């Protein structure tokens, strides 16, 4: 694998765990569980290091993939969510994990422009092109 730039150099907007919880309409413990299950990833950044998640990993609730798995975190809490985790992110993170990428490397890869897409993989995921993104991730094996 080639050296990846640091995520701070690539990601424009970050959210802390409490900020993600607020956007999703859940508590911070639920966000930590999403991170542990690798349905979402974050990196420690800043001084002191604070676990942060790229804001691009969240989408407005009305833009969520309607084919997303039922019974997810959205149904667990009665509070109103303004955002949801990008539906195609979990599977893509799984492929990147299979390639051997750490969370920071996965974030860097997702935010590094790829001329063959064109653009950044995260933007392609948000546009609904998960197959193309995962194909490129699998090619890293």
């Amino acid at each position: 694998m080639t050296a990846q730039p640091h995520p701070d150099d690539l990601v424009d907007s970050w959210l802390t765990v409490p900020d993600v919880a607020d956007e999703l309409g859940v508590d911070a413990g639920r966000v930590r569980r999403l991170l542990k299950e690798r349905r979402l990833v974050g990196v420690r950044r800043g001084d002191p290091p604070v676990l942060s998640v790229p804001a691009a990993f969240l989408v407005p609730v009305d833009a969520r993939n309607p084919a997303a798995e039922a019974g997810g975190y959205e149904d667990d809490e009665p509070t109103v969510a303004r955002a949801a985790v990008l539906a195609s992110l979990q599977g893509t993170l799984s492929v990147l994990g299979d390639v051997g990428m750490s969370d920071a490397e996965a974030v860097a890869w997702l935010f590094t422009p790829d001329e063959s897409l064109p653009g950044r993989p995260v933007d392609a995921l948000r546009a609904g092109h998960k197959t193309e993104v995962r194909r490129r991730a699998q090619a890293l094996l």
Side-chain angles (χ1 to χ4, degrees):
M1 240 179 298
T2 59
Q4 292 285 336
H6 193 274
D8 269 336
D9 299 332
L10 300 167
V11 179
D12 297 330
S13 181
W14 295 91
L15 298 170
T16 63
V17 169
D19 293 336
V20 172
D22 188 47
E23 289 295 313
L24 296 178
V26 299
D27 62 40
R30 181 67 180 168
V31 174
R32 287 187 194 89
R33 189 169 38 224
L34 292 171
L35 289 161
K36 182 178 179 181
E37 294 170 353
R38 213 161 193 231
R39 293 179 64 186
L40 192 60
V41 292
V43 295
R44 294 203 175 274
R45 50 186 295 278
D47 189 28
V50 174
L51 185 59
S52 302
V53 173
F57 289 168
L58 303 183
V59 294
V61 171
D62 59 354
R64 181 180 73 224
N65 180 352
E69 181 177 310
Y73 62 88
E74 300 92 346
D75 300 331
D76 293 346
E77 298 291 328
T79 58
V80 177
R82 291 188 298 266
V85 176
L86 180 62
S88 56
L89 185 63
Q90 181 180 7
T92 304
L93 291 173
S94 178
V95 173
L96 293 173
D98 291 346
V99 171
M101 286 191 184
S102 68
D103 288 353
E105 290 169 332
V107 169
W109 186 85
L110 286 163
F111 282 86
T112 299
D114 182 335
E115 295 170 8
S116 66
L117 283 171
R120 305 178 306 176
V122 69
D123 296 327
L125 288 176
R126 290 176 63 94
H129 304 293
K130 71 179 180 184
T131 303
E132 291 301 317
V133 172
R134 291 179 187 169
R135 192 173 292 142
R136 282 160 182 79
Q138 288 172 335
L140 299 172
L141 280 171

